[in-house]
Amino acid sequence: MQERPRSLLVQIPCRAASLRLTLPAMPITRFAPSPTGLLHIGHAHSALFAQAAAGSGGTMLLRLEDIDLTRCRPDFATAIEADLAWLGLGWPLPVRRQSEHFGEYRTALERLIGRGLAYPCFCTRSQLAAAMAAPHAGEPVYPGICRALSPAERADRIAAGDAHGWRLDVAAALAETGPLEWRDLDHGLVPATPLDGGDVLIARKDIPASYHLAVTWDDALQRVELVTRGDDLFAATHVHRLLQALLDLPVPVWHHHRLLLDAEGKRFAKRDRAPTLAAMRAAGISAAELRARAGFPDQPAA
Ligand code: GLU
């Protein structure tokens, strides 16, 4: 087998500054949709972006982020694979389904709990809605209600069977890791500021993981070297960088891309019933036309 060139020093135009970044020559990238609905053209853009970022020598993997057992459905998962194949995408390794790996996430979670870096959160949905509704700039942030509980109170409530998730104690975690940064092909070298997002949930009440923990674990496990995803997840990367440092995981490069917008300048979203790939296909739109509408027109043959 041909040896993979380890890395290539490339000059990349960045939004922040022109930076020299070390990027694998033939990177492993991934597309990681959640099967909570059918794919729309915004997803097609992300998937094609991941494949283009892998380039002809790299590898794009597919991961189904299906930890939410109430919202994810096997028929959506099947449809996602069919839509991607119709679009012309392939992935050389078996699809990783997060719902099959709860044991791994639990082990990672227990490492953080054991080091005093996570605390149980007993807040109910309505408590959270009230606590996080206070007007302030930016996204709502958890105000640390359960961080204030004493160890005895926590133990009593757990022993009493009170439902609880787990939150990362971000300040305590940062005190261990010290300042962190990460590299983004569009934004340049970014200082990690996970405190801005508050103590995020790393395990939900019903499962031993959250998006943040599972995505960080899996990107490392799948040896993803270049994480491509939409700008809407940019803030999450600050948390992921912290989790990587805490769990001693390799650090990829990121490329957050701008979101594809509809004719009114709004992002495509499942909740707004964006037209699905399946519906467009049924309406007779070809895969080539769809790729072009998603921003990746086929290259004319040389
Ligand atoms: N599963 C996430 C989503 O569908 C994407 C996760 C990621 O790319 O990091 O929005």
Side-chain angles (χ1 to χ4, degrees), residues 8-12 14 19-24 182-186 188-189 253-254:
L8 192 67
L9 208 56
V10 284
Q11 185 78 31
I12 295 148
C14 300
L19 253 191
R20 285 168 76 78
L21 297 174
T22 307
L23 183 71
W182 45 278
R183 291 163 185 275
D184 187 291
L185 296 193
D186 197 24
L189 196 59
V253 173
W254 282 264

Side-chain angles (χ1 to χ4, degrees), residues 24-132:
M26 299 194 289
I28 299 175
T29 67
R30 61 17 170 221
F31 177 54
S34 297
T36 53
L38 295 172
L39 297 184
H40 54 64
I41 192 166
H43 295 116
H45 176 74
S46 278
L48 291 163
F49 191 97
Q51 191 193 46
S56 52
T59 305
M60 187 195 77
L61 303 177
L62 177 62
R63 180 167 75 232
L64 291 173
E65 303 212 321
D66 58 352
I67 59 171
D68 188 333
L69 301 176
T70 53
R71 292 174 60 227
C72 294
R73 287 189 0 206
D75 53 322
F76 288 143
T78 307
I80 285 174
E81 289 193 47
D83 282 345
L84 294 174
W86 172 75
L87 262 184
L89 294 167
W91 42 96
L93 295 177
V95 178
R96 181 168 168 94
R97 291 183 165 71
Q98 292 190 323
S99 58
E100 294 170 0
H101 301 282
F102 286 155
E104 290 170 45
Y105 310 138
R106 188 188 303 280
T107 304
L109 173 67
E110 282 169 358
R111 278 169 63 189
L112 298 172
I113 297 172
R115 283 155 62 191
L117 299 177
Y119 59 85
C121 177
F122 303 93
C123 291
T124 60
R125 262 176 208 276
S126 54
Q127 270 175 307
L128 288 175
M132 291 163 78

Side-chain angles (χ1 to χ4, degrees), residues 221-281:
L221 190 116
Q222 294 189 285
R223 298 175 192 276
V224 173
E225 295 161 310
L226 177 58
V227 173
T228 65
R229 59 185 174 206
D231 258 342
D232 53 331
L233 289 169
F234 188 81
T237 303
H238 295 275
V239 178
H240 303 175
R241 180 66 193 90
L242 178 59
L243 286 171
Q244 282 154 0
L246 295 173
L247 294 169
D248 243 337
L249 301 174
V251 183
V253 173
W254 282 264
H255 194 166
H256 292 87
H257 60 76
R258 291 180 185 65
L259 299 178
L260 197 68
L261 302 177
D262 65 15
E264 288 153 25
K266 266 189 18 228
R267 57 176 286 204
F268 291 95
K270 278 179 205 170
R271 63 175 171 277
D272 297 336
R273 300 186 193 282
T276 64
L277 300 189
M280 293 165 95
R281 177 164 28 149

Side-chain angles (χ1 to χ4, degrees), residues 119-132 141-149 157 162-167 199 201 203-205:
Y119 59 85
C121 177
F122 303 93
C123 291
T124 60
R125 262 176 208 276
S126 54
Q127 270 175 307
L128 288 175
M132 291 163 78
V141 164
Y142 180 67
I145 302 165
C146 289
R147 196 189 322 113
L149 297 178
R157 292 188 66 170
D162 281 7
H164 59 280
W166 290 88
R167 288 188 181 272
D199 290 348
L201 215 49
R204 298 165 32 144
K205 285 185 177 161

Side-chain angles (χ1 to χ4, degrees), residues 205-223:
K205 285 185 177 161
D206 51 343
I207 43 172
S210 69
Y211 159 65
H212 295 303
L213 186 64
V215 81
T216 305
W217 184 260
D218 282 356
D219 280 337
L221 190 116
Q222 294 189 285
R223 298 175 192 276

